[in-house]
Amino acid sequence: LHIGVTQTFNALYLAPILTAFASDYPAIDLEVSELANAEIVEGIISGALHLGVGIPQGAELDDAEPLYRDQLMFVCHSSHRLARARTVAVCEIAEESLALLGSRYRTRAAVDSYLGSHGVVPARVIAFNTFAGILQTVSLGGHSAIMPADISRGAGVNDLRFIPLDPPPPERVVCLLSPATSLRSPASSVMAQRIRSRFNPGDYGRK
């Protein structure tokens, strides 16, 4: 069973789901790939992935089931000039050296779209291919970031501040991505239900 997931979902939610599944179905081999959103969607469409969790765009997949909402926030070290702000005005970003994901990631595209819609260009951008690299850089001070709010629930954020942006960026919805019904295996259907059961589909909020 090959599953493609985003970095955030892998870090925060997947481990207990996989552990329980592996215990209940010891004969089923599992492979997890941490991928960019576009790669997850492509894998589902091509059949390379049996299941995915990501953020599809538009009508990329008919069988995308909402799991939870994703909100981008400003992230900085506790010593940063904006660390005590209740909100960070988007115009403030023009003075920031931002640590962001690279251009192949949709989170970066969302950040660029948000800043561009307000005519804001950061003073500097340092690109990474992992959120871990961004967190480590921001934790050393001197750089800030714009990241999904869920990351505040993970490890390595004790000295960091997650602050709402003003105006807020558009919310994104993280979805469970499945292939066409005729291509689904019993194992992928069971795993999909395990993932689905961790969230409240009524409001896309976490249980």
Side-chain angles (χ1 to χ4, degrees):
L1 180 61
H2 191 185
I3 307 169
V5 297
T6 61
Q7 294 181 48
T8 306
F9 192 86
N10 191 23
L12 298 179
Y13 304 116
L14 191 58
I17 299 173
L18 285 185
T19 299
F21 184 92
S23 176
D24 292 341
Y25 301 93
I28 298 177
D29 292 333
L30 295 170
E31 180 179 354
V32 177
S33 295
E34 191 174 87
L35 302 168
N37 280 290
E39 295 168 337
I40 296 171
V41 172
E42 181 181 347
I44 293 293
I45 293 173
S46 69
L49 295 174
H50 302 116
L51 204 62
V53 176
I55 304 174
Q57 288 184 336
E60 282 183 326
L61 290 172
D62 294 330
D63 296 311
E65 301 177 51
L67 293 176
Y68 64 91
R69 297 184 185 278
D70 167 68
Q71 181 68 64
L72 295 173
M73 299 184 77
F74 179 80
V75 185
C76 64
H77 188 265
S78 58
S79 62
H80 190 277
R81 67 184 181 90
L82 297 172
R84 296 189 178 185
R86 292 187 177 181
T87 61
V88 172
V90 64
C91 60
E92 294 279 5
I93 305 301
E95 300 181 31
E96 292 298 306
S97 175
L98 286 185
L100 300 173
L101 287 178
S103 58
R104 63 186 277 252
Y105 294 95
R106 286 185 179 171
T107 294
R108 171 63 181 275
V111 172
D112 288 348
S113 176
Y114 169 70
L115 296 179
S117 70
H118 296 285
V120 173
V121 178
R124 183 183 185 186
V125 171
I126 304 173
F128 294 82
N129 64 357
T130 66
F131 283 126
I134 295 174
L135 288 172
Q136 186 174 32
T137 298
V138 174
S139 69
L140 295 175
H143 304 281
S144 56
I146 296 177
M147 305 175 73
D150 265 4
I151 292 175
S152 65
R153 304 174 63 247
V157 299
N158 291 343
D159 293 326
L160 301 183
R161 301 290 180 266
F162 285 71
I163 307 170
L165 287 156
D166 183 24
E171 282 189 329
R172 303 180 301 164
V173 178
V174 179
C175 296
L176 175 63
L177 309 177
S178 303
T181 304
S182 61
L183 300 177
R184 297 176 191 176
S185 67
S188 68
S189 296
V190 171
M191 177 62 80
Q193 181 55 38
R194 296 288 180 100
I195 294 173
R196 194 181 294 120
S197 68
R198 304 283 294 193
F199 300 90
N200 181 350
D203 60 4
Y204 313 149
R206 288 177 297 280
K207 283 187 175 180

